[in-house]
Amino acid sequence: MVPPRPRRSALFLPTSNPRAIAKSRALPCDVVILDLEDAVAPDMKDDARARAVAAVTEGGFGDRELVVRVNAANTRWHMDDLIALTGAPIDAILLPKVGDVTDVKAARDCLGHDGPALWAMIESACGVLNLPAIAAGAADAKLTALVAGTNDLAIDLRCRPGPDRASLLSALAQIVIAARAVGMTALDGVLNAIDQPDRLAAECDQGRAWGFDGKTLIHPAQIDAANAAFGPSTDDIAWAARVIAAFADPDYDGRGAIRLDGAMVERLHLQEAERILALIR
């Protein structure tokens, strides 16, 4: 089994900004997402694509996961983006505005089976409605993550999420469920308010409580809050270590459940403990 990768913080960067890309190589985020879509003006698309290929070829991102968000399938830049990135040294390609499994399959056909993994942004009512089919096709398409596109999703649903994001909960829950059903990562959407640290911390805690693995971000100042919320706490780590040690005790050999800290702990808790310790960086 491949150990899980920490994806607490996934930072979007405009690929048309070489200074931002250079700085990202030293940032404490888990994932760098070079953006060819929303952050790039139409007349800069071709130049941004060339910059993205040059940046990933140059490397220097360390152990950060490297992802490129291409333009949507219904744009004239989509296929050129995929072709340019087919052999690029990246971990994944992020597909925006995925509405159906056919969007994912078409991208995989273009990239080939040996091409980079795919991530899918769920940003519309159609995308949410078709999550079961998208998840069912994930293994064949090498789709490994779902990303909540909360800005577009709110507009498409015509809802007005406040700080508690209650109006988006149903859609976000379905994204997490679809991801968990087939072993994918689930990343929460961005917070545009970069000057509201308390709101960011609350939203990160909320995303963690709802089951997300991490949060997408739009500014380096948001990284620490995401890392703190989605990373294992000292209590989590201590609990995981105790669970693993307890099940390793010869006195409990072969048992499906044991008593620990005044509670019953089962083998499923052992699996969760192992996952938590695997995420420590």
Side-chain angles (χ1 to χ4, degrees):
M1 181 178 177
V2 178
R5 294 189 69 164
R7 289 167 175 161
R8 304 164 299 174
S9 49
L11 178 65
F12 282 107
L13 291 167
T15 313
S16 55
N17 186 338
R19 292 182 60 190
I21 295 174
K23 289 181 178 179
S24 72
R25 292 180 170 95
L27 293 174
C29 55
D30 292 333
V31 184
V32 170
I33 304 176
L34 302 181
D35 191 12
L36 300 179
E37 196 212 14
D38 286 346
V40 179
D43 60 348
M44 295 290 291
K45 296 288 189 182
D46 293 337
D47 180 65
R49 183 189 308 118
R51 289 181 184 275
V53 173
V56 301
T57 302
E58 181 182 351
F61 293 91
D63 60 357
R64 297 163 191 82
E65 204 163 0
L66 188 55
V67 178
V68 178
R69 178 165 71 168
V70 297
N71 288 283
N74 63 349
T75 69
R76 62 185 176 88
W77 306 286
H78 178 72
M79 289 303 297
D80 288 340
D81 290 346
L82 292 180
I83 292 170
L85 295 166
T86 298
I90 56 178
D91 294 290
I93 289 175
L94 176 57
L95 303 174
K97 299 176 176 60
V98 171
D100 189 80
V101 68
T102 55
D103 295 336
V104 181
K105 289 180 177 179
R108 175 51 56 204
D109 288 343
C110 178
L111 295 167
H113 183 73
D114 295 330
L118 294 173
W119 292 11
M121 290 197 74
I122 306 301
E123 308 182 71
S124 66
C126 285
V128 173
L129 192 64
N130 290 315
L131 276 168
I134 292 170
D140 288 342
K142 288 177 61 178
L143 179 67
T144 59
L146 297 178
V147 180
T150 45
N151 286 333
D152 286 70
L153 188 56
I155 292 173
D156 198 50
L157 297 179
R158 298 180 191 167
C159 66
R160 298 182 180 182
D164 64 357
R165 300 194 296 169
S167 57
L168 287 175
L169 176 56
S170 175
L172 295 177
Q174 290 181 69
I175 291 172
V176 173
I177 291 168
R180 292 290 168 264
V182 294
M184 288 189 286
T185 291
L187 296 182
D188 198 359
V190 301
L191 173 65
N192 293 55
I194 59 176
D195 58 350
Q196 298 182 31
D198 291 343
R199 181 176 175 182
L200 174 64
E203 203 165 289
C204 287
D205 288 341
Q206 182 189 61
R208 171 71 181 269
W210 287 351
F212 284 100
D213 297 292
K215 189 168 184 63
T216 48
L217 313 170
I218 60 171
H219 194 279
Q222 299 177 321
I223 295 173
D224 288 345
N227 286 347
F230 290 97
S233 68
T234 54
D235 288 344
D236 292 335
I237 294 169
W239 172 84
R242 291 197 302 275
V243 170
I244 291 172
F247 275 103
D249 190 325
D251 291 341
Y252 297 135
D253 186 38
R255 293 194 186 183
I258 61 176
R259 186 180 178 89
L260 179 68
D261 298 339
M264 295 304 297
V265 179
E266 303 176 31
R267 290 279 169 181
L268 60 91
H269 297 106
L270 174 60
Q271 295 174 1
E272 175 63 7
E274 292 170 341
R275 186 192 71 84
I276 287 172
L277 294 189
L279 290 173
I280 299 174
R281 298 195 66 166

